[in-house]
Amino acid sequence: MENVTLTVNGKERSAPAEGRTLLVEFLREGLRLTGTHVGCDTSQCGACLVHVDGEPVKACSVLVQDIAGAEVTTIEGMANADGSLGTIQAAFREHHGLQCGFCTPGMVMAAASLLKENPKPTEAEVRHYLEGNICRCTGYHNIVKAVMAASGQDVAPPAVAAE
Amino acid sequence: MPKDHGIGASSKRREDARFLTGKGRYTDDINVAGQAHVAFLRSDVAHGRINGIDTSAAEGMPGVLRVFTAKDFEGVGGLPCGWQITSIDGNPMQEPKHPILADGKVRHVGDPIAAVVAETAAQARDAAEAIVPDIETLPAVIDMKAALAEGAPKVHDDLTSNLCYDWGFVQENKEAVDKAVAEAAHVTTLELVNNRLVANPMEPRVAVGDYALHSDESTLYTTSQNPHVIRLLMGAFVLGIPEHKLRVVAPDVGGGFGTKIFHYAEEAFCTFAAKELQRPVKWTSTRSEAFMSDAHGRDHVTKIELALDADNNFTAIRCQTYANMGAYLSTFAPSVPTWLHGTLLAGNYKTPLIYTNVKAVFTNTVPVDAYRGAGRPEATFQLERVIDMAARELGVDPVALRRQNFITEFPYATPVAVEYDTGDYEGTMTKLLAMIDRDGFAERRRQSEANGKLRGLGINCYIEACGIAPSQLVGQLGARAGLYESATVRVNATGGLVVMTGSHSHGQGHETSFAQVVADMIGIDEGQVEIVHGDTANTPMGMGTYGSRSLAVGGSAMVRATEKIIAKAKKIASHLMEASADDIELKDGKFTVAGTDKELAWGDVTLAAYVPHNYPLDEIEPGLEETAFYDPNNFTYPAGAYACEVEVDPETGKVDILAMAAADDFGNVVNPMIVEGQVHGGLAQGIGQALLENCAYDADGQLLSASYMDYAMPRAHDMPMFQVDHSSQTPCTHNPLGVKGCGEAGAIGSPPSVVNAVIDALQSGGHDVRHIDMPLTPARVWSAMNAAK
């Protein structure tokens, strides 16, 4: 097996990889960055979503040898420099946007990509963007609230809610 | 003012700090030094005879340590079933063997045939593909009624038929119910399917077995909701390992929803193989494997009849259900269609006579067991659908019909064996109607019609039995286990506490809410209380988390243990302050003597307990650690009223959910933020069942929905913003916290709301559609509309 080198969360990291080694396997087993999760085998659930050269990528759909030298950001790289929670992470905590925590790393990474592309999304845009990330615990309600809050916005109350 | 700490405060979750930064420790994150990996070869046919398994090629593959088949498990027990049901004729249910690896026959797609242990996961997978099983395909039984037909192929050759049990409840009421139905002024009859679902926690199951030669001790790391239950079942019934030589650890678990209650073959395999090979052995399920090996949920086919008198009072309910068990009995499967279903058929209504017959059936499908709500969603769905249908047939307001029949006096003994301790169904209904602006619905419907859409409003109630416990009661009902819960509270010398609980948190936030309770009782900062769970080595024997039982049963055990701590601490304080223990008060973390200005801090007393220089050693022991086991005398009965408002596109049959509202009575609430989150998640699963999710088999038993490409998981854009309220609170009368449980309500209450709403929408458009089976996909809705034109 040959060594593959990536810049992960700002640091150069190397580990051996086979031709068939997926980025997510490389991160979890090669580098022991276990914050990135595997929830399915069809690139549907988004629990493994990371950023590769600034773009959101499902790490189960990339062979690590194909992206040798790339810059990768994972959930372990999302806190502030002083270790405190980043804006999106803090919003998820404040608005109870996670329960079991398994989909959470992918959700946070997807939300970060969304807010980079679209700093003031509507509720519908948030829901649409998160289509590739499945959460079984929260019903998405508080995830949507958290992402909106991270963008500095509130969620409008339901259309038929009584005053 | 909302509280900012203690019971009733929306304390932010301490778990989140690790989950949000990638520091969670889930089972797949655990690698034990020297571990090998296992891959299972699973059956690709639903039913077949195993004439041979050629493992020779696999055994020669790189990295392979050993290939296991059923013959390696001679003398090892099968997976046990934890609940026995007795049929009407007095015979116990038929209970088939459930081997760890298929022995003689394969009985469902996914049934494990062989297992390869190799140095790496990839090598194990490669070698599993090189195994050549010689399987003679047999005719499969998939449909339950066909499985019971004369001459149907048998799933288990050594059983007399595919009927697991034929249960009547309450059998003594049967004649009276038949008579009441025959003599009723009106009978509404509904036949329906409660669709098969897959729980799909986002974390697939994982098992890591380890064996320590020096101590002859086995350790299993597993994705479980109840590590002590796994230790007992696997140790006593499968592998014959005494509990003191077996440790089961369920660390952070990525969701359960019921399917991680049960003891699975892969857990036993990894524990067994680790000892055989003297190597740690790890298995990580793929999602595809999860679809064909995690216990499924629901899958009932039901006919319900509701009898009413001339004044529209409910006089009787008669119900006939076929319940799919799948190919083997999963751990608690027999209890779901019976005691978790039949006992809830009274719902929120004073129906005097109820009879249900349940036929549990073996088929060549994945075993079916508890999934969020477990039996109670099935009871609620049929009852709330048939009431809606009756209202439509009688031309009365469905809400008024419900209100007229509400139980209003408590305690209330139902005709189906349970006694509701408290409730206020009128209260939650009134709250719900205010939340959803029912008065404005007619105008909203007009607006939809102007846009070419059909708008519907569905309203229903639910009740559930939670806090799954009373051991003596469940023992009478066939449980082969007790259902108490436990807690040990250990106070450290400097005043901090560790609470070790038999409950398990896999998303529910116990580490936060349990700490709130204990901190509140003592009057100290929540940060001084640590909650430990998930490891049989450092928690007292407890039955785990399911059935919305953790706070009601586990929390109560914790309260009892903390009360013992406080009582002892007061004795120490009374000695130190030279006062009577009866005069000592503990408030805000300070001990005071009534009527004096004497005062001691919590930490002064805890220190004295461990440095007993000045201490009543003749009266009490040093140290401050107490354990309590709590076994309640009844279930709890959360209840509520739910509503859904939908718009149906008549061109396509697509249903859009515009509003989903839940008014719940959970009794007292410890952490409103967490409670609301639980309801949100339940609502999404209920909406998923109603509109999207379906576990589908073809006639040959091929699983058609075995990935997220085929099984429609709810996604963000499928869901509305929810309206939830839990301000109607009638505290539980028999547990010290007055809590009832909130974990399953959303999944129980919401499916009938959605279907009632869609039927309401279609009827408003002149389509005489009485019922559509879930999931209400565009194809099904469109077909029903056009068939009824």
Side-chain angles (χ1 to χ4, degrees):
Chain A
M1 278 194 281
E2 59 185 271
N3 257 13
V4 172
T5 302
L6 303 174
T7 302
V8 180
N9 301 327
K11 286 184 192 149
E12 203 165 275
R13 303 284 302 268
S14 295
E18 292 184 78
R20 63 179 169 183
T21 303
L22 300 169
L23 172 57
V24 69
E25 294 168 334
F26 183 82
L27 291 169
R28 287 183 55 79
E29 299 300 333
L31 304 182
R32 293 302 290 157
L33 290 170
T34 55
T36 302
H37 296 153
V38 179
C40 76
D41 39 30
T42 51
S43 298
Q44 292 284 304
C45 81
C48 67
L49 194 134
V50 298
H51 298 168
V52 177
D53 294 331
E55 295 294 320
V57 166
K58 288 180 174 172
C60 70
S61 63
V62 178
L63 297 168
V64 69
Q65 289 191 356
D66 287 352
I67 60 157
E71 290 207 16
V72 174
T73 307
T74 70
I75 189 69
E76 287 91 345
M78 294 298 282
N80 295 325
D82 65 359
S84 61
L85 296 179
T87 305
I88 295 168
Q89 292 167 313
F92 269 68
R93 181 163 191 265
E94 181 67 24
H95 294 277
H96 190 29
L98 66 155
Q99 290 181 25
C100 82
F102 198 80
C103 78
T104 307
M107 283 287 177
V108 169
M109 301 310 288
S113 293
L114 165 63
L115 298 184
K116 191 173 139 195
E117 286 174 28
N118 181 0
K120 296 283 178 197
T122 63
E123 180 204 326
E125 285 170 339
V126 172
R127 289 183 184 275
H128 180 73
Y129 193 90
L130 295 179
E131 190 202 28
N133 290 76
I134 303 175
C135 170
R136 193 56 152 170
C137 293
T138 64
Y140 303 99
H141 182 105
N142 284 340
I143 291 175
V144 172
K145 274 175 79 172
V147 176
M148 294 295 279
S151 74
Q153 307 179 89
D154 282 335
V155 178
V160 300
E163 292 303 311
Chain B
M1 266 286 285
K3 287 184 72 175
D4 64 357
H5 68 281
I7 293 172
S10 286
S11 298
K12 302 304 173 199
R13 298 200 326 167
R14 57 180 66 182
E15 296 90 336
D16 295 358
R18 65 178 188 272
F19 293 153
L20 281 162
T21 54
K23 297 191 190 89
R25 183 171 175 263
Y26 300 87
T27 310
D28 193 46
D29 301 339
I30 295 170
N31 284 341
V32 182
Q35 80 189 6
H37 297 263
V38 59
F40 291 92
L41 174 71
R42 295 179 184 276
S43 178
D44 57 9
V45 299
H47 196 193
R49 194 167 309 287
I50 304 171
N51 291 326
I53 304 171
D54 183 354
T55 60
S56 54
E59 279 158 0
M61 300 270 289
V64 171
L65 297 169
R66 189 161 154 193
V67 181
F68 291 82
T69 61
K71 66 177 165 43
D72 296 297
F73 289 86
E74 280 169 19
V76 173
L79 301 177
C81 179
W83 204 294
Q84 179 179 289
I85 297 298
T86 303
S87 287
I88 296 168
D89 62 11
N91 287 318
M93 66 185 188
Q94 295 206 80
E95 197 168 348
K97 295 188 186 77
H98 190 175
I100 291 173
L101 295 176
D103 191 5
K105 286 211 317 190
V106 289
R107 296 185 175 86
H108 66 84
V109 168
D111 209 358
I113 299 167
V116 180
V117 180
E119 295 290 346
T120 72
Q123 287 170 335
R125 285 196 297 269
D126 288 345
E129 288 179 9
I131 297 171
V132 185
D134 174 8
I135 292 179
E136 171 194 349
T137 303
L138 300 171
V141 285
I142 306 305
D143 177 78
M144 285 189 277
K145 289 177 186 170
L148 294 182
E150 192 79 23
K154 284 200 289 184
V155 178
H156 296 275
D157 299 339
D158 52 346
L159 303 185
T160 59
S161 70
N162 292 318
L163 181 67
C164 176
Y165 57 75
D166 185 7
W167 184 75
F169 182 70
V170 173
Q171 194 62 27
E172 295 74 41
N173 291 349
K174 183 174 186 305
E175 275 183 36
V177 170
D178 288 345
K179 185 162 178 286
V181 172
E183 293 173 355
H186 184 87
V187 178
T188 297
T189 304
L190 172 61
E191 294 188 46
L192 59 87
V193 175
N194 202 293
N195 43 326
R196 180 184 278 240
L197 304 174
V198 183
N200 273 306
M202 293 316 298
E203 177 204 30
R205 288 189 295 118
V206 181
V208 187
D210 192 13
Y211 176 71
L213 193 57
H214 70 279
S215 60
D216 185 34
E217 192 179 22
S218 295
T219 300
L220 170 69
Y221 301 90
T222 184
T223 47
S224 176
Q225 300 174 217
N226 32 235
H228 280 284
V229 174
I230 303 304
R231 185 179 67 157
L232 179 63
L233 293 177
M234 186 173 79
F237 298 96
V238 186
L239 299 179
I241 306 173
E243 283 134 292
H244 60 279
K245 291 292 183 188
L246 178 58
R247 174 184 173 203
V248 177
V249 184
D252 286 330
V253 171
F257 313 116
T259 205
K260 288 176 182 168
I261 298 171
F262 321 120
H263 178 37
Y264 287 97
E266 296 86 356
E267 295 172 319
F269 179 86
C270 289
T271 309
F272 176 84
K275 188 170 181 180
E276 283 285 303
L277 298 170
Q278 308 275 308
R279 287 277 298 271
V281 172
K282 181 174 188 173
W283 171 71
T284 301
S285 176
T286 64
R287 182 58 60 184
S288 302
E289 272 186 296
F291 272 104
M292 54 185 172
S293 66
D294 290 5
H296 293 173
R298 315 281 192 261
D299 204 349
H300 287 193
V301 175
T302 290
K303 177 183 175 186
I304 182 169
E305 295 158 285
L306 173 66
L308 304 93
D309 68 16
D311 297 323
N312 296 340
N313 298 309
F314 302 164
T315 57
I317 292 166
R318 185 165 62 188
C319 163
Q320 160 83 62
T321 286
Y322 293 83
N324 206 333
M325 296 286 103
Y328 303 97
L329 288 179
S330 176
T331 311
F332 291 112
S335 67
V336 175
T338 51
W339 299 108
L340 292 172
H341 169 250
T343 52
L344 272 300
L345 283 170
N348 311 56
Y349 312 102
K350 47 188 182 206
T351 311
L353 288 165
I354 298 174
Y355 177 75
T356 183
N357 171 241
V358 177
K359 291 178 171 59
V361 186
F362 293 113
T363 62
N364 292 112
T365 62
V366 170
V368 181
D369 206 325
Y371 165 59
R372 201 171 195 167
R376 293 152 289 174
E378 295 91 322
T380 301
F381 185 73
Q382 55 180 288
L383 184 61
E384 295 295 332
R385 282 288 301 126
V386 82
I387 292 172
D388 234 54
M389 188 176 275
R392 207 165 280 287
E393 289 175 357
L394 295 165
V396 299
D397 174 20
V399 172
L401 181 61
R402 287 178 168 86
R403 282 179 147 156
Q404 174 184 341
N405 286 281
F406 272 160
I407 295 161
T408 53
E409 290 176 15
F410 298 88
Y412 177 81
T414 72
V416 277
V418 292
E419 182 173 287
Y420 303 160
D421 60 339
T422 179
D424 180 6
Y425 310 143
E426 185 58 42
T428 47
M429 179 59 81
T430 301
K431 184 76 209 176
L432 178 83
L433 296 179
M435 287 163 74
I436 62 168
D437 183 24
R438 194 181 191 212
D439 294 342
F441 176 73
E443 174 53 28
R444 296 196 294 275
R445 172 173 273 172
R446 264 195 295 281
Q447 288 170 9
S448 292
E449 284 169 353
N451 295 327
K453 302 281 178 67
L454 301 173
R455 197 166 182 126
L457 178 60
I459 296 176
N460 61 277
C461 301
Y462 80 91
I463 187 165
E464 53 170 331
C466 288
I468 298 292
S471 291
Q472 293 189 349
L473 176 60
V474 298
Q476 290 165 21
L477 304 182
R480 290 163 168 166
L483 282 171
Y484 50 82
E485 198 46 83
S486 62
T488 296
V489 177
R490 177 179 297 159
V491 185
N492 296 316
T494 55
L497 284 83
V498 181
V499 178
M500 289 152 276
T501 169
S503 299
H504 186 276
S505 184
H506 31 278
Q508 297 90 340
H510 296 170
E511 292 169 34
T512 302
S513 55
F514 281 20
Q516 287 176 250
V517 172
V518 174
D520 197 283
M521 289 176 71
I522 299 172
I524 54 175
D525 188 79
E526 288 164 27
Q528 283 190 269
V529 182
E530 189 75 15
I531 305 295
V532 172
H533 64 97
D535 186 343
T536 60
N538 59 17
T539 57
M541 172 72 179
M543 298 307 288
T545 289
Y546 38 82
S548 306
R549 71 192 298 274
S550 296
L551 191 59
V553 191
S556 295
M558 191 176 66
V559 168
R560 291 284 185 251
T562 306
E563 285 169 351
K564 292 186 195 180
I565 291 284
I566 291 171
K568 184 171 178 183
K570 281 184 175 176
K571 278 189 191 164
I572 302 168
S574 71
H575 176 86
L576 294 174
M577 293 194 282
E578 296 175 336
S580 160
D582 296 338
D583 293 335
I584 304 291
E585 288 174 7
L586 172 62
K587 197 177 171 218
D588 297 332
K590 281 189 185 123
F591 295 91
T592 52
V593 182
T596 74
D597 59 357
K598 288 184 182 174
E599 174 178 306
L600 269 179
W602 169 252
D604 295 332
V605 172
T606 62
L607 189 65
Y610 290 94
V611 187
H613 294 164
N614 174 18
Y615 195 86
L617 285 168
D618 50 340
E619 287 175 46
I620 52 176
E621 298 168 4
L624 205 43
E625 175 167 331
E626 299 287 350
T627 294
F629 284 72
Y630 181 80
D631 202 328
N633 60 25
N634 195 354
F635 298 106
T636 63
Y637 299 96
Y642 282 27
C644 180
E645 193 162 321
V646 300
E647 213 171 48
V648 180
D649 184 342
E651 296 296 317
T652 63
K654 183 168 188 303
V655 177
D656 281 325
I657 298 208
L658 304 176
M660 183 79 227
D664 291 294
D665 174 2
F666 296 133
N668 294 333
V669 164
V670 170
N671 185 317
M673 176 190 82
I674 289 176
V675 165
E676 287 163 20
Q678 289 292 306
V679 177
H680 295 157
L683 292 174
Q685 289 183 1
I687 293 170
Q689 170 168 26
L691 291 185
L692 298 162
E693 298 178 40
N694 197 38
C695 179
Y697 281 94
D698 73 7
D700 296 327
Q702 281 301 325
L703 180 55
L704 302 177
S705 52
S707 81
Y708 289 155
M709 309 291 278
D710 305 298
Y711 186 94
M713 289 284 279
R715 312 223 178 195
H717 62 76
D718 297 312
M719 292 296 138
M721 296 306 290
F722 304 117
Q723 296 163 260
V724 300
D725 177 272
H726 45 78
S727 62
S728 298
Q729 296 181 353
T730 58
C732 173
T733 58
H734 57 80
N735 67 46
L737 289 165
V739 296
K740 296 184 175 180
C742 65
E744 297 159 294
I748 294 170
S750 58
S753 318
V754 177
V755 179
N756 288 349
V758 172
I759 299 299
D760 185 53
L762 299 187
Q763 292 270 350
S764 79
H767 304 276
D768 186 24
V769 178
R770 297 179 78 238
H771 179 72
I772 306 173
D773 276 325
M774 302 185 289
L776 272 53
T777 58
R780 287 190 184 188
V781 173
W782 189 90
S783 299
M785 287 171 66
N786 285 279
K789 248 179 187 167

